[in-house]
Amino acid sequence: MATINRWSPVEEALSLRDAMSRLFEESFVAPSAATRTGLSVDMNVLENANSYIIEAAVPGLKAEDLDITLQENVLTISGEVRNQKLSEGTTAHRTERRYGRFSRSITLPMLVKGDEINATLEHGILRLDVPKAEEVKPRKISVQVGGAKELEVNK
């Protein structure tokens, strides 16, 4: 006698959910060794009325180790983390810090004044204050009716 298996959408959905959970966990929570080999810069990009504030974690680096460029509204932070030489008679039992070149680029959402960018480095945090271009800042426009100033509208 043949066995009839009934299709259950609930069981199918649960297996899809498990597969997606595994995918996200492997991608974000515990990335595979292949994704952990490169150097990365963790960043916060904030915005106020006048500028963008970019904060990048660059622990152990000096200002001369960093290169910051802005080209066609793409801000790039790059540099190099150098390997420390061990003194004679010293053996490394575990080396977890990464060394080498890194680069991180972000496209800014609006035009900025590249010649007025201010960069500071303090306690391993690079802070960039990137002023917005005048044409993208909010401005107040007055509406006049019949030559008299009647109503103000915020843009």
Side-chain angles (χ1 to χ4, degrees), residues 91-96:
T91 303
H93 289 283
R94 178 178 288 196
T95 304
E96 294 182 353

Side-chain angles (χ1 to χ4, degrees), residues 8-152:
S8 171
V10 174
E11 288 178 21
E12 294 289 326
L14 288 176
S15 65
L16 175 62
R17 188 176 114 204
D18 291 341
M20 293 300 290
S21 293
R22 278 194 308 275
L23 174 69
F24 282 114
E25 188 167 319
E26 290 172 2
S27 299
F28 300 108
V29 178
S32 66
T35 61
R36 285 185 279 186
T37 57
L39 292 176
S40 173
V41 176
D42 294 328
M43 254 184 220
N44 292 338
V45 180
L46 312 169
E47 179 182 4
N48 60 32
N50 298 317
S51 63
Y52 296 101
I53 296 111
I54 291 102
E55 298 173 332
V58 290
L61 293 182
K62 299 176 186 164
E64 57 266 16
D65 297 329
L66 296 167
D67 185 32
I68 304 162
T69 59
L70 178 69
Q71 185 174 12
E72 296 179 15
N73 235 36
V74 176
L75 181 76
T76 301
I77 300 171
S78 58
E80 184 173 4
V81 178
R82 291 177 173 61
N83 192 354
Q84 296 175 342
K85 303 221 182 220
L86 297 176
S87 60
E88 192 175 324
T90 303
T91 303
H93 289 283
R94 178 178 288 196
T95 304
E96 294 182 353
R97 292 181 58 199
R98 297 181 195 127
Y99 301 99
R101 296 216 38 86
F102 65 86
S103 182
R104 176 83 187 266
S105 297
I106 57 168
T107 302
L108 297 170
M110 293 184 194
L111 293 176
V112 296
K113 297 178 184 177
D115 54 342
E116 295 182 22
I117 295 174
N118 182 30
T120 57
L121 179 63
E122 188 175 354
H123 303 296
I125 302 295
L126 173 66
R127 182 184 165 98
L128 301 170
D129 188 7
V130 184
K132 293 179 184 177
E134 291 297 324
E135 57 268 16
V136 297
K137 286 185 184 176
R139 57 190 169 147
K140 191 177 247 185
I141 298 173
S142 299
V143 177
Q144 296 180 0
V145 179
K149 189 174 176 180
E150 292 289 328
L151 176 68
E152 289 187 356

